[in-house]
Amino acid sequence: MSGVVVIGTQWGDEGKGKVVDLLTGEADLVVRFQGGNNAGHTLVVGGETYALHLVPSGILHKGKRSVVAPGVVVDPEVLLTEIRELKKRGVEVGPENLALSGKAHLILPYHNLLDEARENPPAVSGGDGRVRIGTTGRGIGPAYEDKASRQGLRLNDLLDLEVFRGKLESALLEKNCLLTGLYRKAPVKAEDLMAKARIWASELAPYVTDTFLLLLKAREAGKRILFEGAQGSQLDLDHGTYPYVTSSSTTSGGAATGSGVPFKELDRVLGLVKAYTTRVGEGPFPTELKDEAGDALREKGGEYGTTTGRPRRCGWLDMVVVRTARALSGVDGLAVTKLDVLRGLKELKIAVAYKTPAGRLEYLPQETRDLEGAVPEYRVFPGFSEDIGKARRLSDLPRNAREYLNAMEEEAGAPLALVSVGPERDETVILSKMFPA
Ligand code: IMP
């Protein structure tokens, strides 16, 4: 087999949907290995816009298999809605092209309630001093917590509703204590949830399978597998700007643990880099532009969450962040997205280091608090005003854009693999084939 992993090198929203969709042309299977419907990948195919949250982007290609691996957390209601919507729009979705691991954990309504309650705790529960993460409110953290504490329910449990009920009732003992006692919410009733579970079970059962075996067979048959990361490196639970992170492994190592395909078989890692930086939710962001320049990037780049609609915080490209991601994930090639958004700016800035009270940093510090007062050290470049949407080779790009890209390669320590110059599939400069021949 050959395996290519696509990961975000920033704080998510790097435009992975389009790149994964593009690379799917070279792949046989596309695998989601972590995260859940906190992700939102927007794809524009043939003038049609698709926003996918759980189903791998490969679904939009005929003859490719999309796999939701054990490392993903699945909200069955969201998944079913997504499948129904895709079908309504004429996209083929069936067990032959979509496989769900029975080991994938479920996000159940009490996870969403707990996620929201933690973010907005009532004062009476002593909530005022809590750290707000600015989560997507999709129950991601609580679902991963249950997985880690071995109280989770998995897709497989839906295949036997009596087993499901037993586990649900046991989980609710604790959840309802928290919901009613600490957060002053109404309890979740097992019966209400069982009514939903019957629908989920009947509609999702055909897709549930052992994706370990499916992927093993694919590997033995020499298939090409694309691993579609969600979120970005600095949202990684272990390596990101904790506690302002998500609850899964967003770096390339997550592809191996989340899918069950050994890391030795992951040949290449493609690191997605948006040509500027965005972040949603709380947490440090040294190159943030809190002025009109940031607002202009947000409007031009359409920087509003695909999942929550929240406005994204915008700022200059930060190569401290990208360099750290390159090192964490072993990035072999950079896929630069949204370069076209920068058109018309008089000058472009790239942060190459931070000055902090503790000294000059070229990599993100271990402790997120140490970023307080970090002042970015910038390299400044002249902007470009030309329309770059028709560029298909690097040499088609204006000189100033190329200089900006060269600096990215230099500062990241990895070569360019592709540059996206517009939202459509073909609006791309492709520099190297990603799958080994
Ligand atoms: P959670 O994943 O919903 O728990 O949110 C934790 C943090 O990760 C918050 O700052 C979210 O805004 C951020 N986050 C989660 N998913 C995404 C994503 O797909 N793009 C960007 N930020 C995300």
Side-chain angles (χ1 to χ4, degrees), residues 243-260:
Y244 306 101
V245 293
T246 189
S247 301
S248 64
S249 298
T250 60
T251 43
S252 63
T257 48
S259 70

Side-chain angles (χ1 to χ4, degrees), residues 356-429:
T356 75
R360 185 175 183 274
L361 301 180
E362 291 187 352
Y363 291 91
L364 280 157
Q366 192 170 214
E367 184 49 64
T368 303
R369 282 191 301 275
D370 293 346
L371 281 175
E372 276 165 29
V375 179
E377 188 181 300
Y378 285 112
R379 278 176 72 181
V380 182
F381 298 85
F384 56 90
S385 53
E386 298 88 337
D387 182 356
I388 59 170
K390 301 229 156 35
R392 297 295 175 266
R393 287 168 309 179
L394 218 45
S395 55
D396 296 336
L397 289 171
R399 206 172 109 200
N400 290 354
R402 276 184 280 137
E403 274 181 13
Y404 187 72
L405 293 170
N406 284 343
M408 283 170 80
E409 287 185 301
E410 229 173 86
E411 297 295 339
L416 289 176
L418 67 85
V419 182
S420 169
V421 291
E424 289 279 354
R425 243 183 217 169
D426 64 336
E427 290 178 312
T428 314
V429 175

Side-chain angles (χ1 to χ4, degrees), residues 11-13 38-40 133-137 140-141 231 235 245-246 280-281 310:
W11 278 290
D13 308 317
N38 47 348
I133 308 298
T135 70
T136 59
I140 304 295
Q231 289 86 45
L235 291 173
V245 293
T246 189
V280 242
R310 290 184 291 178

